[in-house]
PDB file of all heavy atoms in Angstrom:
ATOM      1  N   LYS E  25      64.195  -8.850  14.024  1.00  0.00           N
ATOM      2  CA  LYS E  25      64.329  -7.360  14.317  1.00  0.00           C
ATOM      3  C   LYS E  25      65.497  -7.128  15.297  1.00  0.00           C
ATOM      4  O   LYS E  25      66.242  -6.238  15.179  1.00  0.00           O
ATOM      5  CB  LYS E  25      63.081  -6.904  14.980  1.00  0.00           C
ATOM      6  CG  LYS E  25      61.892  -6.617  13.939  1.00  0.00           C
ATOM      7  CD  LYS E  25      60.922  -5.707  14.616  1.00  0.00           C
ATOM      8  CE  LYS E  25      59.936  -5.262  13.539  1.00  0.00           C
ATOM      9  NZ  LYS E  25      59.006  -4.117  14.117  1.00  0.00           N
ATOM     10  N   MET E  26      65.690  -8.006  16.258  1.00  0.00           N
ATOM     11  CA  MET E  26      66.766  -7.871  17.182  1.00  0.00           C
ATOM     12  C   MET E  26      68.160  -8.054  16.537  1.00  0.00           C
ATOM     13  O   MET E  26      69.145  -7.360  16.918  1.00  0.00           O
ATOM     14  CB  MET E  26      66.557  -8.871  18.431  1.00  0.00           C
ATOM     15  CG  MET E  26      65.299  -8.538  19.270  1.00  0.00           C
ATOM     16  SD  MET E  26      65.298  -6.857  19.876  1.00  0.00           S
ATOM     17  CE  MET E  26      64.112  -6.012  18.738  1.00  0.00           C
ATOM     18  N   ASN E  27      68.216  -9.039  15.615  1.00  0.00           N
ATOM     19  CA  ASN E  27      69.425  -9.253  14.998  1.00  0.00           C
ATOM     20  C   ASN E  27      69.799  -8.030  14.063  1.00  0.00           C
ATOM     21  O   ASN E  27      71.025  -7.609  13.943  1.00  0.00           O
ATOM     22  CB  ASN E  27      69.404 -10.462  14.041  1.00  0.00           C
ATOM     23  CG  ASN E  27      69.551 -11.719  14.874  1.00  0.00           C
ATOM     24  OD1 ASN E  27      69.799 -11.759  15.984  1.00  0.00           O
ATOM     25  ND2 ASN E  27      69.252 -12.903  14.214  1.00  0.00           N
ATOM     26  N   THR E  28      68.823  -7.442  13.469  1.00  0.00           N
ATOM     27  CA  THR E  28      69.095  -6.289  12.583  1.00  0.00           C
ATOM     28  C   THR E  28      69.448  -5.093  13.469  1.00  0.00           C
ATOM     29  O   THR E  28      70.348  -4.274  13.176  1.00  0.00           O
ATOM     30  CB  THR E  28      67.787  -5.933  11.833  1.00  0.00           C
ATOM     31  OG1 THR E  28      67.368  -6.982  11.009  1.00  0.00           O
ATOM     32  CG2 THR E  28      68.056  -4.705  11.010  1.00  0.00           C
ATOM     33  N   ALA E  29      68.753  -4.977  14.663  1.00  0.00           N
ATOM     34  CA  ALA E  29      69.080  -3.974  15.629  1.00  0.00           C
ATOM     35  C   ALA E  29      70.532  -3.973  16.027  1.00  0.00           C
ATOM     36  O   ALA E  29      71.216  -3.005  16.160  1.00  0.00           O
ATOM     37  CB  ALA E  29      68.100  -4.013  16.772  1.00  0.00           C
ATOM     38  N   THR E  30      71.010  -5.257  16.449  1.00  0.00           N
ATOM     39  CA  THR E  30      72.320  -5.429  16.796  1.00  0.00           C
ATOM     40  C   THR E  30      73.336  -4.978  15.731  1.00  0.00           C
ATOM     41  O   THR E  30      74.301  -4.348  16.052  1.00  0.00           O
ATOM     42  CB  THR E  30      72.582  -6.926  17.100  1.00  0.00           C
ATOM     43  OG1 THR E  30      71.724  -7.331  18.126  1.00  0.00           O
ATOM     44  CG2 THR E  30      74.015  -7.182  17.550  1.00  0.00           C
ATOM     45  N   SER E  31      73.022  -5.355  14.408  1.00  0.00           N
ATOM     46  CA  SER E  31      73.890  -4.929  13.356  1.00  0.00           C
ATOM     47  C   SER E  31      73.958  -3.365  13.200  1.00  0.00           C
ATOM     48  O   SER E  31      75.011  -2.817  13.033  1.00  0.00           O
ATOM     49  CB  SER E  31      73.456  -5.549  12.005  1.00  0.00           C
ATOM     50  OG  SER E  31      73.529  -6.956  12.086  1.00  0.00           O
ATOM     51  N   LEU E  32      72.744  -2.756  13.275  1.00  0.00           N
ATOM     52  CA  LEU E  32      72.706  -1.301  13.199  1.00  0.00           C
ATOM     53  C   LEU E  32      73.378  -0.536  14.267  1.00  0.00           C
ATOM     54  O   LEU E  32      74.155   0.384  14.086  1.00  0.00           O
ATOM     55  CB  LEU E  32      71.200  -0.819  13.076  1.00  0.00           C
ATOM     56  CG  LEU E  32      70.450  -1.360  11.818  1.00  0.00           C
ATOM     57  CD1 LEU E  32      68.946  -0.977  11.859  1.00  0.00           C
ATOM     58  CD2 LEU E  32      71.128  -0.724  10.513  1.00  0.00           C
ATOM     59  N   LEU E  33      73.251  -1.133  15.547  1.00  0.00           N
ATOM     60  CA  LEU E  33      73.850  -0.455  16.766  1.00  0.00           C
ATOM     61  C   LEU E  33      75.333  -0.581  16.619  1.00  0.00           C
ATOM     62  O   LEU E  33      76.079   0.302  16.927  1.00  0.00           O
ATOM     63  CB  LEU E  33      73.378  -1.090  18.011  1.00  0.00           C
ATOM     64  CG  LEU E  33      71.890  -0.802  18.296  1.00  0.00           C
ATOM     65  CD1 LEU E  33      71.413  -1.707  19.393  1.00  0.00           C
ATOM     66  CD2 LEU E  33      71.669   0.675  18.791  1.00  0.00           C
ATOM     67  N   SER E  34      75.751  -1.850  16.182  1.00  0.00           N
ATOM     68  CA  SER E  34      77.218  -2.001  15.941  1.00  0.00           C
ATOM     69  C   SER E  34      77.824  -1.135  14.947  1.00  0.00           C
ATOM     70  O   SER E  34      79.094  -0.945  14.990  1.00  0.00           O
ATOM     71  CB  SER E  34      77.463  -3.568  15.535  1.00  0.00           C
ATOM     72  OG  SER E  34      76.939  -4.425  16.623  1.00  0.00           O
ATOM     73  N   SER E  35      77.005  -0.727  13.963  1.00  0.00           N
ATOM     74  CA  SER E  35      77.624   0.224  12.958  1.00  0.00           C
ATOM     75  C   SER E  35      77.664   1.699  13.444  1.00  0.00           C
ATOM     76  O   SER E  35      78.211   2.490  12.718  1.00  0.00           O
ATOM     77  CB  SER E  35      76.674   0.152  11.645  1.00  0.00           C
ATOM     78  OG  SER E  35      75.396   0.782  11.978  1.00  0.00           O
ATOM     79  N   GLY E  36      77.141   1.877  14.607  1.00  0.00           N
ATOM     80  CA  GLY E  36      77.338   3.227  15.171  1.00  0.00           C
ATOM     81  C   GLY E  36      76.061   4.014  15.255  1.00  0.00           C
ATOM     82  O   GLY E  36      76.053   5.201  15.793  1.00  0.00           O
ATOM     83  N   LEU E  37      74.921   3.541  14.771  1.00  0.00           N
ATOM     84  CA  LEU E  37      73.691   4.255  14.816  1.00  0.00           C
ATOM     85  C   LEU E  37      73.082   4.478  16.228  1.00  0.00           C
ATOM     86  O   LEU E  37      73.304   3.524  17.139  1.00  0.00           O
ATOM     87  CB  LEU E  37      72.581   3.620  13.976  1.00  0.00           C
ATOM     88  CG  LEU E  37      72.831   3.618  12.435  1.00  0.00           C
ATOM     89  CD1 LEU E  37      71.677   2.907  11.705  1.00  0.00           C
ATOM     90  CD2 LEU E  37      73.041   5.034  11.916  1.00  0.00           C
ATOM     91  N   SER E  38      72.473   5.543  16.517  1.00  0.00           N
ATOM     92  CA  SER E  38      71.963   5.730  17.841  1.00  0.00           C
ATOM     93  C   SER E  38      70.790   4.879  18.156  1.00  0.00           C
ATOM     94  O   SER E  38      70.137   4.266  17.246  1.00  0.00           O
ATOM     95  CB  SER E  38      71.532   7.174  18.039  1.00  0.00           C
ATOM     96  OG  SER E  38      70.393   7.498  17.210  1.00  0.00           O
ATOM     97  N   VAL E  39      70.481   4.650  19.443  1.00  0.00           N
ATOM     98  CA  VAL E  39      69.368   3.829  19.925  1.00  0.00           C
ATOM     99  C   VAL E  39      68.013   4.378  19.342  1.00  0.00           C
ATOM    100  O   VAL E  39      67.104   3.678  18.831  1.00  0.00           O
ATOM    101  CB  VAL E  39      69.239   3.837  21.351  1.00  0.00           C
ATOM    102  CG1 VAL E  39      67.942   3.093  21.793  1.00  0.00           C
ATOM    103  CG2 VAL E  39      70.474   3.152  22.027  1.00  0.00           C
ATOM    104  N   GLY E  40      67.841   5.768  19.294  1.00  0.00           N
ATOM    105  CA  GLY E  40      66.637   6.336  18.783  1.00  0.00           C
ATOM    106  C   GLY E  40      66.482   6.068  17.355  1.00  0.00           C
ATOM    107  O   GLY E  40      65.450   5.814  16.863  1.00  0.00           O
ATOM    108  N   THR E  41      67.541   6.184  16.511  1.00  0.00           N
ATOM    109  CA  THR E  41      67.501   5.933  15.144  1.00  0.00           C
ATOM    110  C   THR E  41      67.167   4.614  14.790  1.00  0.00           C
ATOM    111  O   THR E  41      66.341   4.219  13.893  1.00  0.00           O
ATOM    112  CB  THR E  41      68.833   6.362  14.434  1.00  0.00           C
ATOM    113  OG1 THR E  41      69.159   7.732  14.680  1.00  0.00           O
ATOM    114  CG2 THR E  41      68.880   6.018  12.953  1.00  0.00           C
ATOM    115  N   VAL E  42      67.758   3.607  15.551  1.00  0.00           N
ATOM    116  CA  VAL E  42      67.416   2.222  15.205  1.00  0.00           C
ATOM    117  C   VAL E  42      66.012   1.820  15.576  1.00  0.00           C
ATOM    118  O   VAL E  42      65.370   1.177  14.810  1.00  0.00           O
ATOM    119  CB  VAL E  42      68.468   1.321  16.140  1.00  0.00           C
ATOM    120  CG1 VAL E  42      67.993  -0.188  15.998  1.00  0.00           C
ATOM    121  CG2 VAL E  42      69.829   1.538  15.623  1.00  0.00           C
ATOM    122  N   ALA E  43      65.500   2.435  16.782  1.00  0.00           N
ATOM    123  CA  ALA E  43      64.154   2.177  17.173  1.00  0.00           C
ATOM    124  C   ALA E  43      63.171   2.635  16.026  1.00  0.00           C
ATOM    125  O   ALA E  43      62.210   1.951  15.707  1.00  0.00           O
ATOM    126  CB  ALA E  43      63.899   2.901  18.485  1.00  0.00           C
ATOM    127  N   GLU E  44      63.524   3.798  15.488  1.00  0.00           N
ATOM    128  CA  GLU E  44      62.619   4.420  14.376  1.00  0.00           C
ATOM    129  C   GLU E  44      62.719   3.629  13.167  1.00  0.00           C
ATOM    130  O   GLU E  44      61.658   3.228  12.604  1.00  0.00           O
ATOM    131  CB  GLU E  44      63.076   5.854  14.125  1.00  0.00           C
ATOM    132  CG  GLU E  44      62.250   6.530  13.109  1.00  0.00           C
ATOM    133  CD  GLU E  44      62.741   7.995  12.843  1.00  0.00           C
ATOM    134  OE1 GLU E  44      63.677   8.449  13.515  1.00  0.00           O
ATOM    135  OE2 GLU E  44      62.074   8.598  11.944  1.00  0.00           O
ATOM    136  N   ARG E  45      63.878   3.118  12.721  1.00  0.00           N
ATOM    137  CA  ARG E  45      64.035   2.320  11.609  1.00  0.00           C
ATOM    138  C   ARG E  45      63.249   0.914  11.668  1.00  0.00           C
ATOM    139  O   ARG E  45      62.850   0.448  10.694  1.00  0.00           O
ATOM    140  CB  ARG E  45      65.474   2.060  11.313  1.00  0.00           C
ATOM    141  CG  ARG E  45      66.229   3.237  10.721  1.00  0.00           C
ATOM    142  CD  ARG E  45      67.551   2.809  10.057  1.00  0.00           C
ATOM    143  NE  ARG E  45      68.345   3.942   9.559  1.00  0.00           N
ATOM    144  CZ  ARG E  45      69.447   3.781   8.917  1.00  0.00           C
ATOM    145  NH1 ARG E  45      69.936   2.575   8.649  1.00  0.00           N
ATOM    146  NH2 ARG E  45      70.088   4.898   8.448  1.00  0.00           N
ATOM    147  N   LEU E  46      63.134   0.503  12.851  1.00  0.00           N
ATOM    148  CA  LEU E  46      62.544  -0.810  13.062  1.00  0.00           C
ATOM    149  C   LEU E  46      61.043  -0.720  13.424  1.00  0.00           C
ATOM    150  O   LEU E  46      60.486  -1.712  13.728  1.00  0.00           O
ATOM    151  CB  LEU E  46      63.302  -1.702  14.126  1.00  0.00           C
ATOM    152  CG  LEU E  46      64.731  -2.057  13.747  1.00  0.00           C
ATOM    153  CD1 LEU E  46      65.457  -2.791  14.817  1.00  0.00           C
ATOM    154  CD2 LEU E  46      64.833  -2.784  12.383  1.00  0.00           C
ATOM    155  N   GLY E  47      60.508   0.437  13.430  1.00  0.00           N
ATOM    156  CA  GLY E  47      59.068   0.659  13.595  1.00  0.00           C
ATOM    157  C   GLY E  47      58.618   0.609  14.953  1.00  0.00           C
ATOM    158  O   GLY E  47      57.384   0.356  15.194  1.00  0.00           O
ATOM    159  N   PHE E  48      59.530   0.871  16.026  1.00  0.00           N
ATOM    160  CA  PHE E  48      59.089   0.859  17.345  1.00  0.00           C
ATOM    161  C   PHE E  48      58.477   2.247  17.661  1.00  0.00           C
ATOM    162  O   PHE E  48      58.954   3.293  17.228  1.00  0.00           O
ATOM    163  CB  PHE E  48      60.288   0.575  18.266  1.00  0.00           C
ATOM    164  CG  PHE E  48      60.532  -0.862  18.321  1.00  0.00           C
ATOM    165  CD1 PHE E  48      61.482  -1.412  17.394  1.00  0.00           C
ATOM    166  CD2 PHE E  48      60.003  -1.719  19.236  1.00  0.00           C
ATOM    167  CE1 PHE E  48      61.830  -2.726  17.395  1.00  0.00           C
ATOM    168  CE2 PHE E  48      60.367  -3.058  19.262  1.00  0.00           C
ATOM    169  CZ  PHE E  48      61.264  -3.572  18.381  1.00  0.00           C
ATOM    170  N   SER E  49      57.453   2.218  18.601  1.00  0.00           N
ATOM    171  CA  SER E  49      56.766   3.451  18.891  1.00  0.00           C
ATOM    172  C   SER E  49      57.602   4.493  19.670  1.00  0.00           C
ATOM    173  O   SER E  49      57.500   5.676  19.642  1.00  0.00           O
ATOM    174  CB  SER E  49      55.448   3.154  19.599  1.00  0.00           C
ATOM    175  OG  SER E  49      55.734   2.383  20.782  1.00  0.00           O
ATOM    176  N   SER E  50      58.645   3.897  20.407  1.00  0.00           N
ATOM    177  CA  SER E  50      59.503   4.765  21.218  1.00  0.00           C
ATOM    178  C   SER E  50      60.821   4.027  21.544  1.00  0.00           C
ATOM    179  O   SER E  50      60.889   2.796  21.361  1.00  0.00           O
ATOM    180  CB  SER E  50      58.866   5.164  22.606  1.00  0.00           C
ATOM    181  OG  SER E  50      58.735   3.997  23.375  1.00  0.00           O
ATOM    182  N   SER E  51      61.843   4.911  21.843  1.00  0.00           N
ATOM    183  CA  SER E  51      63.150   4.371  22.131  1.00  0.00           C
ATOM    184  C   SER E  51      63.016   3.478  23.434  1.00  0.00           C
ATOM    185  O   SER E  51      63.686   2.391  23.490  1.00  0.00           O
ATOM    186  CB  SER E  51      64.109   5.318  22.377  1.00  0.00           C
ATOM    187  OG  SER E  51      64.395   6.121  21.193  1.00  0.00           O
ATOM    188  N   ALA E  52      62.173   3.868  24.335  1.00  0.00           N
ATOM    189  CA  ALA E  52      62.015   3.138  25.535  1.00  0.00           C
ATOM    190  C   ALA E  52      61.513   1.724  25.346  1.00  0.00           C
ATOM    191  O   ALA E  52      61.969   0.702  26.002  1.00  0.00           O
ATOM    192  CB  ALA E  52      61.146   3.941  26.611  1.00  0.00           C
ATOM    193  N   TYR E  53      60.480   1.692  24.502  1.00  0.00           N
ATOM    194  CA  TYR E  53      59.850   0.411  24.221  1.00  0.00           C
ATOM    195  C   TYR E  53      60.882  -0.534  23.479  1.00  0.00           C
ATOM    196  O   TYR E  53      60.956  -1.773  23.853  1.00  0.00           O
ATOM    197  CB  TYR E  53      58.565   0.552  23.349  1.00  0.00           C
ATOM    198  CG  TYR E  53      57.841  -0.748  23.015  1.00  0.00           C
ATOM    199  CD1 TYR E  53      57.646  -1.723  23.941  1.00  0.00           C
ATOM    200  CD2 TYR E  53      57.615  -0.974  21.622  1.00  0.00           C
ATOM    201  CE1 TYR E  53      57.040  -2.918  23.606  1.00  0.00           C
ATOM    202  CE2 TYR E  53      56.956  -2.175  21.284  1.00  0.00           C
ATOM    203  CZ  TYR E  53      56.682  -3.133  22.274  1.00  0.00           C
ATOM    204  OH  TYR E  53      56.098  -4.337  21.921  1.00  0.00           O
ATOM    205  N   PHE E  54      61.618   0.022  22.539  1.00  0.00           N
ATOM    206  CA  PHE E  54      62.620  -0.698  21.814  1.00  0.00           C
ATOM    207  C   PHE E  54      63.653  -1.286  22.740  1.00  0.00           C
ATOM    208  O   PHE E  54      64.014  -2.351  22.736  1.00  0.00           O
ATOM    209  CB  PHE E  54      63.258   0.189  20.785  1.00  0.00           C
ATOM    210  CG  PHE E  54      64.589  -0.471  20.261  1.00  0.00           C
ATOM    211  CD1 PHE E  54      64.573  -1.587  19.514  1.00  0.00           C
ATOM    212  CD2 PHE E  54      65.721   0.233  20.547  1.00  0.00           C
ATOM    213  CE1 PHE E  54      65.748  -2.106  19.050  1.00  0.00           C
ATOM    214  CE2 PHE E  54      66.967  -0.241  20.067  1.00  0.00           C
ATOM    215  CZ  PHE E  54      67.005  -1.431  19.354  1.00  0.00           C
ATOM    216  N   SER E  55      64.049  -0.391  23.684  1.00  0.00           N
ATOM    217  CA  SER E  55      65.121  -0.784  24.635  1.00  0.00           C
ATOM    218  C   SER E  55      64.634  -1.988  25.545  1.00  0.00           C
ATOM    219  O   SER E  55      65.388  -2.862  25.890  1.00  0.00           O
ATOM    220  CB  SER E  55      65.573   0.388  25.475  1.00  0.00           C
ATOM    221  OG  SER E  55      66.126   1.418  24.687  1.00  0.00           O
ATOM    222  N   ALA E  56      63.357  -1.878  25.923  1.00  0.00           N
ATOM    223  CA  ALA E  56      62.814  -2.915  26.789  1.00  0.00           C
ATOM    224  C   ALA E  56      62.719  -4.242  26.086  1.00  0.00           C
ATOM    225  O   ALA E  56      63.047  -5.256  26.535  1.00  0.00           O
ATOM    226  CB  ALA E  56      61.409  -2.487  27.298  1.00  0.00           C
ATOM    227  N   VAL E  57      62.360  -4.234  24.781  1.00  0.00           N
ATOM    228  CA  VAL E  57      62.210  -5.454  24.018  1.00  0.00           C
ATOM    229  C   VAL E  57      63.579  -6.016  23.744  1.00  0.00           C
ATOM    230  O   VAL E  57      63.883  -7.169  23.859  1.00  0.00           O
ATOM    231  CB  VAL E  57      61.532  -5.247  22.647  1.00  0.00           C
ATOM    232  CG1 VAL E  57      61.553  -6.469  21.781  1.00  0.00           C
ATOM    233  CG2 VAL E  57      60.093  -4.835  22.898  1.00  0.00           C
ATOM    234  N   PHE E  58      64.587  -5.118  23.406  1.00  0.00           N
ATOM    235  CA  PHE E  58      65.954  -5.547  23.134  1.00  0.00           C
ATOM    236  C   PHE E  58      66.506  -6.192  24.395  1.00  0.00           C
ATOM    237  O   PHE E  58      67.206  -7.236  24.291  1.00  0.00           O
ATOM    238  CB  PHE E  58      66.794  -4.370  22.758  1.00  0.00           C
ATOM    239  CG  PHE E  58      68.199  -4.710  22.089  1.00  0.00           C
ATOM    240  CD1 PHE E  58      68.231  -5.062  20.795  1.00  0.00           C
ATOM    241  CD2 PHE E  58      69.293  -4.749  22.895  1.00  0.00           C
ATOM    242  CE1 PHE E  58      69.532  -5.355  20.287  1.00  0.00           C
ATOM    243  CE2 PHE E  58      70.520  -5.087  22.448  1.00  0.00           C
ATOM    244  CZ  PHE E  58      70.672  -5.348  21.133  1.00  0.00           C
ATOM    245  N   LYS E  59      66.383  -5.585  25.498  1.00  0.00           N
ATOM    246  CA  LYS E  59      66.853  -6.162  26.789  1.00  0.00           C
ATOM    247  C   LYS E  59      66.259  -7.486  27.117  1.00  0.00           C
ATOM    248  O   LYS E  59      66.881  -8.372  27.484  1.00  0.00           O
ATOM    249  CB  LYS E  59      66.571  -5.153  28.015  1.00  0.00           C
ATOM    250  CG  LYS E  59      67.039  -5.752  29.280  1.00  0.00           C
ATOM    251  CD  LYS E  59      68.482  -5.774  29.480  1.00  0.00           C
ATOM    252  CE  LYS E  59      68.948  -5.857  30.898  1.00  0.00           C
ATOM    253  NZ  LYS E  59      68.292  -6.957  31.655  1.00  0.00           N
ATOM    254  N   ARG E  60      64.951  -7.615  26.815  1.00  0.00           N
ATOM    255  CA  ARG E  60      64.305  -8.916  27.098  1.00  0.00           C
ATOM    256  C   ARG E  60      64.740  -9.947  26.231  1.00  0.00           C
ATOM    257  O   ARG E  60      64.940 -11.118  26.616  1.00  0.00           O
ATOM    258  CB  ARG E  60      62.743  -8.689  26.884  1.00  0.00           C
ATOM    259  CG  ARG E  60      61.855  -9.920  27.203  1.00  0.00           C
ATOM    260  CD  ARG E  60      60.441  -9.699  26.647  1.00  0.00           C
ATOM    261  NE  ARG E  60      60.416  -9.752  25.251  1.00  0.00           N
ATOM    262  CZ  ARG E  60      59.505  -9.041  24.480  1.00  0.00           C
ATOM    263  NH1 ARG E  60      58.629  -8.292  25.059  1.00  0.00           N
ATOM    264  NH2 ARG E  60      59.517  -9.120  23.198  1.00  0.00           N
ATOM    265  N   GLU E  61      65.050  -9.723  24.918  1.00  0.00           N
ATOM    266  CA  GLU E  61      65.313 -10.669  23.947  1.00  0.00           C
ATOM    267  C   GLU E  61      66.846 -11.006  23.918  1.00  0.00           C
ATOM    268  O   GLU E  61      67.159 -12.164  23.668  1.00  0.00           O
ATOM    269  CB  GLU E  61      64.935 -10.274  22.533  1.00  0.00           C
ATOM    270  CG  GLU E  61      63.392 -10.082  22.396  1.00  0.00           C
ATOM    271  CD  GLU E  61      62.703 -11.310  22.568  1.00  0.00           C
ATOM    272  OE1 GLU E  61      63.156 -12.438  22.178  1.00  0.00           O
ATOM    273  OE2 GLU E  61      61.524 -11.335  23.149  1.00  0.00           O
ATOM    274  N   THR E  62      67.684 -10.039  24.225  1.00  0.00           N
ATOM    275  CA  THR E  62      69.153 -10.255  24.101  1.00  0.00           C
ATOM    276  C   THR E  62      69.869 -10.360  25.482  1.00  0.00           C
ATOM    277  O   THR E  62      71.042 -10.767  25.535  1.00  0.00           O
ATOM    278  CB  THR E  62      69.795  -9.181  23.237  1.00  0.00           C
ATOM    279  OG1 THR E  62      69.799  -7.937  23.939  1.00  0.00           O
ATOM    280  CG2 THR E  62      69.078  -9.092  21.943  1.00  0.00           C
ATOM    281  N   GLY E  63      69.246  -9.806  26.527  1.00  0.00           N
ATOM    282  CA  GLY E  63      69.883  -9.708  27.756  1.00  0.00           C
ATOM    283  C   GLY E  63      70.857  -8.532  27.857  1.00  0.00           C
ATOM    284  O   GLY E  63      71.489  -8.411  28.942  1.00  0.00           O
ATOM    285  N   LYS E  64      70.953  -7.668  26.863  1.00  0.00           N
ATOM    286  CA  LYS E  64      71.761  -6.465  26.971  1.00  0.00           C
ATOM    287  C   LYS E  64      70.850  -5.302  26.637  1.00  0.00           C
ATOM    288  O   LYS E  64      69.775  -5.239  26.047  1.00  0.00           O
ATOM    289  CB  LYS E  64      72.808  -6.512  25.898  1.00  0.00           C
ATOM    290  CG  LYS E  64      73.896  -7.633  26.138  1.00  0.00           C
ATOM    291  CD  LYS E  64      74.995  -7.597  24.972  1.00  0.00           C
ATOM    292  CE  LYS E  64      76.016  -8.596  25.245  1.00  0.00           C
ATOM    293  NZ  LYS E  64      77.118  -8.414  24.230  1.00  0.00           N
ATOM    294  N   ILE E  65      71.367  -4.126  27.146  1.00  0.00           N
ATOM    295  CA  ILE E  65      70.656  -2.789  26.722  1.00  0.00           C
ATOM    296  C   ILE E  65      71.312  -2.412  25.466  1.00  0.00           C
ATOM    297  O   ILE E  65      72.498  -2.511  25.160  1.00  0.00           O
ATOM    298  CB  ILE E  65      70.866  -1.753  27.870  1.00  0.00           C
ATOM    299  CG1 ILE E  65      72.314  -1.509  28.226  1.00  0.00           C
ATOM    300  CG2 ILE E  65      70.100  -2.247  29.117  1.00  0.00           C
ATOM    301  CD1 ILE E  65      72.535  -0.352  29.308  1.00  0.00           C
ATOM    302  N   PRO E  66      70.556  -1.683  24.556  1.00  0.00           N
ATOM    303  CA  PRO E  66      71.081  -1.314  23.364  1.00  0.00           C
ATOM    304  C   PRO E  66      72.364  -0.362  23.385  1.00  0.00           C
ATOM    305  O   PRO E  66      73.233  -0.503  22.589  1.00  0.00           O
ATOM    306  CB  PRO E  66      69.910  -0.354  22.699  1.00  0.00           C
ATOM    307  CG  PRO E  66      68.737  -0.964  23.317  1.00  0.00           C
ATOM    308  CD  PRO E  66      69.101  -1.344  24.770  1.00  0.00           C
TER     309      PRO E  66
END
């Protein structure tokens, strides 16, 4: 999921759109998981 998120974010999609596409309940939760797993904010 995080690798897919990185690719989608790199293509220009917004944080909210990526969070929705990957089935996260909210952008905030997605951002927290992404930061924990990659060390970066979306």
Side-chain angles (χ1 to χ4, degrees):
K25 283 199 169 190
M26 295 304 100
N27 286 348
T28 302
T30 299
S31 296
L32 293 175
L33 290 167
S34 298
S35 71
L37 292 183
S38 68
V39 174
T41 299
V42 174
E44 183 179 356
R45 285 197 181 185
L46 296 180
F48 285 88
S49 57
S50 67
S51 296
Y53 178 49
F54 163 68
S55 296
V57 173
F58 191 87
K59 177 67 163 54
R60 183 191 70 206
E61 296 297 323
T62 69
K64 294 182 177 182
I65 58 175

